Amino acid sequence: MGPSGCGKSTLLHLLGGLDRPSAGEVSLNGRRTDNISEKALARMRRTEVSYVFQSFHLMEELTAVENVELAALLAGRSPRVARRRAEELLDQLGLSGRARFLPSALSGGQRQRVAVARALSNEPLVVLADEPTGNLDSAATLDVLQLFKDLHESGQTLVIVTHDARIAATADRKFSMRDGAFVDEARLTGGTTGQLGALVGLED
Amino acid sequence: MGRIVLVIRLALRDLRRRRTEAALLLIAVLASTTTLTLGLVLRDAASDPYQSTRAATKGPDVVAGVSQADDLAELGKLAIASGVTEHSGPYPVIAAKLEASGRTSDVQVEGRDAADAAVDQPEVTQGSWVGDGGVVLEAAFADSLDVGVGDSVALDGRSFKVVGVAVTAAMPPYPGASCIVSAGCINGAIPDDRNLPAGLLYKPGLAWLTQADVLSLAMDRSALSYVMNLKLADPDEAQAFVDRNGGHYGGAMPMQTWESILADATDLARDSQILLLIGAWLLGLLAVASLSVLVGGRIADQTRRIGLLKAVGGTPGLVAAVLLAEYLLVAVVAAAAGLTIGALTAPLLTESSAGLVGGAGTASLTWSTIGLVTAVALGVAVVATAVPAVRAARSSTVSALADAARPPRRTGWLISLSARLPVPLLLALRVAARRPRRVVLGVVSIAVTVSGIYVLLVLNAFLGEQPGTGAYTEDQVAVLRRVLLVWTVILLSLAAVNAIVITWATALDNRYASALARALGATPQEVTVALATAQVLPAFLGAVLGVFPGGFLLFAAINTITGGDGDKATLPAPWQLVALVLATVLVVAALTSVPAHLGGRRPVTATL
Ligand SMILES: Nc1ncnc2c1ncn2[C@@H]1O[C@H](COP(=O)(O)OP(=O)(O)O)[C@@H](O)[C@H]1O
Ligand SMILES: [Mg+2]
């Protein structure tokens, strides 16, 4: 959490290798990622990290299921496997009836569910979510909130940037940022994993 | 006044802000104006110069000749035949060898008076008319020898000073000629297996001396022949006059009508003009293709900009005026540059008629050409302004603002098909599927270019065989080859501009999709290859269609229009066609690699 412009998005971009630090190191799962090639970063995004964006970023001309399977196709899965996995995920996220809809025919909450399904399709270590409820009305926010809670309980590691205290309350650890740096860390529960500090290079 | 300044200022600022786009637009409009200018100048050149030369030189309606002094009486009778109003001559003519700057050439030398003749007084374009010891050369001949006023030439070993260069309507300009010497002339290729009769002139040029000098060149009077120029009461009766007076070919007294000289003089220009006009059509199609990609892309953009300007208080009128001013600036610059380039390159193609007044130089750029070219450029400007202006004026400010970019198209079957392909192809097909119209333009643009090249290959092979057949001389083949070359260069440049423009537009348009694909794990290489492939696949399709049916049909059409004998043409060999398709694909791949590379490397975070 932190005020606008403090560097939250920048941090997520660094973690997922969409941006490179001008100084310092980034490690993921014990491996340095700030000095590897673009190609290796792309490979990492296929299998180890994935993104959920504030403004969904779905391809407008693709149906829900096509959007979800795209990540798996880019990772080299066979079209049949990718399609089956996409349909399963949409089922799990309560969108089975919406699989052939274009994003323009879906509500904001449904779109974000599709984006989450896409992020999960390659079974990543971490899902990076940048203000995933920022563009949603309160009903849809609750909806997505529940989704993240379920994912969290199922053991999926999530790094979520949010202004929403309710989302923050579901986390194991909460970091506060200001002016490009961490200013505070709170352990909210016993923690299901405790990997996060190591993940972002923060020693405790 | 202040309003106009404001409009121009806003327009200039916008053009500066999108420099690349403005430059590409300028190039596309420039290419069309240049081609149009060339086509129109060439059209004028094909008919006018002979007429103006005829007027300026008191051109004869009939030229008659006899090959020996004994027949001079025949010419005397002809001079007073019914229908003849004026005549000049008979003038003595002798065959000679001319040496200039190390080269030897056959020449027909006509002996003239220093005083002006009533019929066929050659128009001196440089220097002065004949005087004792001074020779005047026909302009195209002097041009081909690279000899000018003040140089010295040798005629049959005797040195003469070149005192002038002149044009005449009594004979087609070099390398054409009508034979007026008794020895006879041959203008086509010399068959290898035959010896020429001794003394026959090969591709003679034309020179004028004083009568006294011609007589002094003659060893004896039997070497001389005579020509006489006749003016008729009714020039349209020339052929009937010739028939009546026994001037048939091979007769004792050969005669030439002004119509047959006109045909010879403009034959070549007409052939090059047909080539140019076909080229102009192809280039026009290409220009339309690139213009619609560019202008179409801008129109969507500008609908939004108009909304923006309206939102900050600009009236729709002001906004449309800014837009119009922008296009007008580009159009005016393109029209001026196109007219200049066209007028400067046209003489390269009309040099063959350098022996005619106005055949070379810039004189042939007429007001109607200037008007038409400018009108076309301005027309593009007005259409490009009208569509977004009307659209934005009709829509509300809010919806114009929301009209961010043209939404991508969904082409379902391509999307499912692409799911089965490797990542770069998958992305490439989806890039293509998002803008089907642009893909069609890409295919058309390449198909038009390749059809053009196909026809060029046929014509080139055809010309290669000509010197042996006698239909064209080597020099004429050289002129036509030069026309083909200019054609090829313009065609290829425009096609290259198109390929780059289309890729650029694609890369810009796919910024978002490319960034998203990379966020989902596509590598920069995969995105680059996809952007390039999205151009190369249509290029391949276009190249294949351009060979068949494109090139085949185009050649058939040209053949029908020109009444040519297509059976004589050698169609390109299969290996040439395969090479053509491959070369097209490689060139397009190379041209698109830079914009595609830039598109693939763009930082993801800048877009998402
Ligand atoms: N630690 C940092 N070092 C350098 N620049 C930073 C840092 N943190 C933030 N910035 C800069 O601040 C700007 C806003 O950051 P951003 O990550 O978008 O903020 P947020 O998402 O928290 O609103 C960015 O342009 C980024 O370059
Ligand atoms: Mg942010």
Side-chain angles (χ1 to χ4, degrees), chain B residues 320-337:
Chain B
V322 171
L323 211 56
L324 184 63
E326 238 174 78
Y327 281 114
L328 285 183
L329 281 172
V330 171
V332 166
V333 172

Side-chain angles (χ1 to χ4, degrees), chain B residues 141-358:
Chain B
F141 184 47
D143 199 44
S144 110
L145 290 172
D146 205 14
V147 169
V149 172
D151 293 338
S152 283
V153 297
L155 285 169
D156 281 350
R158 260 180 60 192
S159 176
F160 286 89
K161 201 156 200 73
V162 178
V163 295
V165 170
V167 298
T168 176
M171 191 180 286
Y174 188 83
S178 27
C179 203
I180 52 173
V181 295
S182 50
C185 315
I186 180 163
N187 241 26
I190 307 166
D192 296 334
D193 52 347
R194 253 189 293 159
N195 286 325
L196 286 178
L200 197 64
L201 300 197
Y202 177 59
K203 269 204 310 189
L206 176 64
W208 296 277
L209 290 174
T210 58
Q211 295 210 29
D213 280 336
V214 166
L215 294 177
S216 73
L217 275 180
M219 304 279 247
D220 58 280
R221 282 176 63 86
S222 72
L224 292 173
S225 56
Y226 298 87
V227 286
M228 191 165 70
N229 305 297
L230 303 173
K231 207 76 181 153
L232 302 183
D234 181 2
D236 292 340
E237 285 293 298
Q239 190 55 51
F241 177 87
V242 167
D243 295 341
R244 212 165 47 237
N245 291 282
H248 49 85
Y249 182 75
M253 192 164 54
M255 295 185 207
Q256 290 263 337
T257 63
W258 68 273
E259 286 113 329
S260 72
I261 300 172
L262 165 71
D264 284 351
T266 51
D267 223 14
L268 196 54
R270 189 163 299 129
D271 280 353
S272 11
Q273 195 214 3
I274 288 171
L275 293 181
L276 253 289
L277 284 184
I278 295 157
W281 271 104
L282 289 180
L283 291 171
L285 284 178
L286 281 183
V288 165
S290 59
L291 279 178
S292 37
V293 169
L294 275 170
V295 174
R298 276 176 78 100
I299 283 174
D301 241 34
Q302 268 150 350
T303 312
R304 184 175 143 78
R305 236 174 66 78
I306 290 175
L308 218 91
L309 274 172
K310 275 167 82 180
V312 299
T315 61
L318 173 80
V319 175
V322 171
L323 211 56
L324 184 63
E326 238 174 78
Y327 281 114
L328 285 183
L329 281 172
V330 171
V332 166
V333 172
L339 283 168
T340 314
I341 298 174
L344 288 180
T345 27
L348 290 179
L349 306 173
T350 51
E351 237 167 48
S352 63
S353 46
L356 301 172
V357 169

Side-chain angles (χ1 to χ4, degrees), chain B residues 356-392:
Chain B
L356 301 172
V357 169
T362 54
S364 27
L365 190 59
T366 61
W367 283 110
S368 74
T369 300
I370 294 175
L372 192 58
V373 170
T374 313
V376 165
L378 295 185
V380 169
V382 169
V383 169
T385 314
V387 176
V390 168
R391 215 200 263 168

